[in-house]
Amino acid sequence: MIAVLTHIAFRDWPRLAGALFLVLWPGFAPAEMTGHPGAVPLARQNALAHEDRPRSVVELQVFRTRQEARAADGTRLALTALNPGANGWFLLELFRPGKGRETYHIENPAPLTRQIALTGGPDPALSLGGAGLCRPWAGAAPELDSARATGLPFAPICGERLYLRNPVAGSRTSLERTAEFLRERVAFGESLVGFVKGTLYKDRYLESGALVADADPGRAAAALGRARLADHPVMYTTMTFDLVGASPTRMEMGAWYAVEGAPGIYASALQPRMIDPAILRGDQRANLLDPVEGKADVYLVGFDLSLFDLGYETGTEHPRLDWSPRPPEVARNRALPGPDGVARPAHLVPTGMLSPAEARRIAATFTGGFKREHGAFRAGPLAATNHGHHYGFVVHGTVLSRLQPGLATLYVLTDGRVGMRTWDSADAPPLREIRFARQNGVALVEPDPDTGQPLPGAMVRQWLPGNWSGSDKAELRTLRAGACLRPGPNGPFLVYAWFSTATPSAMARVFQAYGCDYAMLLDMNAMEHTYMAAYTAAPGGGIALHHLVAGMAQIDARRTDGSRVPRFVGSADNRDFFYLLRKEDAE
């Protein structure tokens, strides 16, 4: 048997573990299974999920399964696996005699190794694979009741083998609170916010480090190469990372430096004016640099993905599921509460923070993409179809907003592979295999369909059709963040880039210079929207927090003693985010 198991695809392990469990434990009686592809044809489930009608978020899950059982005391139970392939999120429903329905959002922190199921018989239980059985609803003081009463975003149950996700309020900065107040309660509020962005915040975060003549640039990571620049002068930076064999205040433009205490994480910096003219003027798919963005500092952080797992989590409030105000009326269906027929996640609980089960492996976090109100198209070819192409996102295999064709997508498969592409249902990975995904606009850099060479995206120069945001006067230069994938010495290399002020054209040229195969915009306009932090082992145990730039420290929450609470890791946040975890065998 061992010889056979060694040839099983790793991504098939969660499904096969359940079958093996039944063989090795003959007394196990599974609950009745309903709603799986064998009971309802998959094509029919898919059609139902894509009908234009109001629905629950559970009905969006094409691959969901549901197990039901009845206890001897009359309690009925139902366990819905929202995506059995991902094996991460479950809804547990209880129907106790004399009480209404109780629904609990359960997270499995070990989706690759722990198969969750509901057993049948007169004493049903949650089967935790090889970790035994659990009945968190049973007894005089049910564990589910006490877990919910804690109010913790993640309340442990079943010996911390599972977590109950509880509703919490995510933190917000005063800037976000003011912007939301203007948009929601003041006439012409959106115009007021646009005015603020176009005046007070334009170039507010501009940094332009001086060139440092005859300075020692330190020891770069030669295996990663250098960006394609006309020259590689040493520049002064305000990056706060400690670097191996170098000072962050004296970095050679375009070179990569290892981050101290963080194997597999590297830092780089440049000013776009130094990019090779063959890139800057090689095609007409991007605008020429303006003098301000040409001298504006860009800081990049690279991750060797052979050492990390990438994940994504929505915030407590954003991105939402209802309609964006951007699409034209012709693209709306007023009978629907949202473009997918859903207005809110119902019994699914967005927590806006990392699961505590993963905190010990945390390596880095960075903010996700646009809020819902900005995450759809106002004009251009993508505005009038598919309800305006609202940006899609998937968490633990659960589709919260459908992935739309034509949009830039960063995704993670159930086997851990990371990809970035323009979504196309004809050749994209099967939805069944998507563990995490986030869409945000259109491509900054994409392969040329004829040559395969990376070029600026087709809509980089088009303000409204590309939904690049900015002021009402189409002024696109502002603080921005983006991400790309490029080849690395050990496989795919993920790059996060922070542009102190830039247009989409400047972003595209920077990603081209760094050899990126594909690149996309994340968020923009404020430090909290472009937040990035890395984590290293602290002396004496624990973890130490390092922000990409010093101003990001102001975004973290504060304890009463003045110490910082790491955003996304130590506190719930209203915004969505990506996180990188060190692989177990990389520790």
Side-chain angles (χ1 to χ4, degrees):
M1 179 179 286
I2 293 175
V4 172
L5 289 176
T6 57
H7 291 84
I8 293 174
F10 184 64
R11 66 188 178 192
D12 290 334
W13 172 247
R15 175 174 56 83
L16 294 171
L20 182 62
F21 180 68
L22 294 178
V23 172
L24 298 180
W25 191 352
F28 176 82
E32 180 184 357
M33 180 78 75
T34 63
H36 57 88
V40 178
L42 185 56
R44 176 58 178 157
Q45 282 187 289
N46 190 57
L48 290 172
H50 286 80
E51 285 181 350
D52 247 6
R53 62 180 178 83
R55 57 168 58 82
S56 71
V57 71
V58 173
E59 292 177 281
L60 282 178
Q61 314 314 314
V62 175
F63 307 108
R64 69 186 186 275
T65 63
R66 178 181 172 91
Q67 294 175 288
E68 299 179 354
R70 182 184 293 271
D73 65 359
T75 298
R76 292 187 295 119
L77 303 99
L79 181 70
T80 299
L82 296 167
N83 184 339
N87 192 36
W89 276 8
F90 300 81
L91 280 180
L92 176 64
E93 298 170 86
L94 301 181
F95 302 85
R96 298 190 241 208
K99 294 186 177 181
R101 180 176 67 173
E102 304 165 63
T103 306
Y104 301 88
H105 183 182
I106 307 296
E107 180 165 317
N108 175 14
L112 295 179
T113 58
R114 184 176 300 140
Q115 188 76 11
I116 309 303
L118 179 65
T119 71
D123 192 16
L126 292 178
S127 167
L128 309 181
L133 302 176
C134 175
R135 299 176 178 85
W137 55 81
E143 189 177 19
L144 282 172
D145 293 349
S146 57
R148 178 157 284 179
T150 66
L152 294 173
F154 293 87
I157 60 174
C158 299
E160 299 192 16
R161 294 176 179 85
L162 299 175
Y163 284 97
L164 172 66
R165 294 172 65 106
N166 284 315
V168 292
S171 61
R172 296 185 298 174
T173 65
S174 59
L175 173 61
E176 285 203 331
R177 286 195 296 269
T178 301
E180 288 187 8
F181 177 84
L182 291 172
R183 287 191 180 102
E184 296 174 3
R185 296 193 176 108
V186 178
F188 310 110
E190 183 65 38
S191 297
L192 288 173
V193 172
F195 171 77
V196 171
K197 288 192 295 186
T199 55
L200 299 180
Y201 290 99
K202 182 180 180 181
D203 298 335
R204 173 183 175 181
Y205 301 99
L206 170 65
E207 294 187 11
S208 184
L211 303 188
V212 186
D214 302 322
D216 180 6
R219 186 171 75 249
L224 295 177
R226 299 191 299 180
R228 282 184 56 190
L229 307 184
D231 192 12
H232 293 79
V234 177
M235 64 181 286
Y236 175 81
T237 83
T238 58
M239 190 181 297
T240 62
F241 292 162
D242 295 326
L243 305 178
V244 176
S247 166
T249 62
R250 302 287 191 275
M251 298 176 68
E252 178 188 315
M253 283 195 194
W256 286 104
Y257 295 86
V259 175
E260 186 73 53
I265 302 181
Y266 303 86
S268 187
L270 87 161
Q271 293 175 356
R273 62 188 171 123
M274 291 296 178
I275 294 173
D276 187 336
I279 294 176
L280 291 178
R281 303 178 183 277
D283 58 73
Q284 303 301 313
R285 293 173 61 127
N287 294 321
L288 297 177
L289 302 180
D290 69 46
V292 175
E293 66 183 344
K295 296 183 66 174
D297 292 350
V298 180
Y299 298 158
L300 304 96
V301 186
F303 302 91
D304 179 348
L305 290 177
S306 69
L307 301 177
F308 301 99
D309 294 319
L310 178 67
Y312 168 76
E313 182 75 44
T314 55
T316 56
E317 298 178 49
H318 303 291
R320 299 197 307 233
L321 309 184
D322 55 357
W323 288 99
S324 165
R326 294 198 168 201
E329 193 64 28
V330 68
R332 297 173 179 273
N333 182 342
R334 291 294 183 181
L336 302 179
D340 298 315
V342 179
R344 58 185 62 87
H347 299 296
L348 300 183
V349 180
T351 61
M353 69 178 293
L354 184 69
S355 164
E358 307 289 14
R360 64 184 177 82
R361 297 201 289 140
I362 189 64
T365 59
F366 54 88
T367 312
F370 284 11
K371 294 179 179 179
R372 185 60 145 194
E373 53 260 45
H374 305 132
F377 292 80
R378 180 179 294 161
L382 296 174
T385 58
N386 287 357
H387 298 313
H389 283 76
H390 289 69
Y391 301 174
F393 40 97
V394 177
V395 183
H396 285 293
T398 303
V399 177
L400 299 177
S401 181
R402 286 192 292 239
L403 300 180
Q404 297 293 335
L407 300 191
T409 309
L410 175 56
Y411 62 89
V412 183
L413 301 181
T414 52
D415 63 4
R417 286 178 295 164
V418 177
M420 191 181 292
R421 63 181 296 143
T422 298
W423 201 253
D424 182 348
S425 57
D427 63 355
L431 184 60
R432 185 193 299 272
E433 299 179 9
I434 302 295
R435 185 178 296 279
F436 301 105
R438 178 56 150 107
Q439 296 186 311
N440 207 69
V442 294
L444 282 167
V445 170
E446 60 188 351
D448 182 276
D450 297 324
T451 67
Q453 294 299 308
L455 294 174
M459 295 186 185
V460 162
R461 299 177 60 182
Q462 303 177 45
W463 170 47
L464 278 176
N467 200 37
W468 299 112
S469 195
S471 75
D472 289 339
K473 296 180 180 179
E475 296 168 324
L476 297 177
R477 198 181 69 235
T478 185
L479 173 66
R480 293 178 182 267
C484 85
L485 276 181
R486 51 154 285 185
N490 302 312
F493 196 81
L494 176 68
V495 176
Y496 172 87
W498 182 85
F499 298 77
S500 61
T501 193
T503 63
S505 291
M507 296 179 76
R509 294 310 192 190
V510 167
F511 284 127
Q512 278 185 282
Y514 275 88
C516 296
D517 296 323
Y518 194 95
M520 60 187 282
L521 175 69
L522 292 174
D523 212 342
M524 55 187 287
N525 288 335
M527 199 73 77
E528 56 264 47
H529 304 161
T530 57
Y531 178 97
M532 187 272 160
Y535 296 82
T536 61
I543 58 175
L545 171 64
H546 308 269
H547 298 94
L548 179 57
V549 294
M552 293 176 181
Q554 304 306 312
I555 311 304
D556 294 330
R558 297 274 180 172
R559 298 185 180 92
T560 54
D561 64 1
S563 61
R564 292 196 301 270
V565 179
R567 187 185 190 192
F568 305 131
V569 178
S571 63
D573 200 270
N574 75 316
R575 299 302 299 268
D576 62 325
F577 66 100
F578 288 93
Y579 56 89
L580 289 109
L581 307 174
R582 293 203 170 274
K583 292 184 176 179
E584 297 285 4
D585 56 2
E587 294 181 344

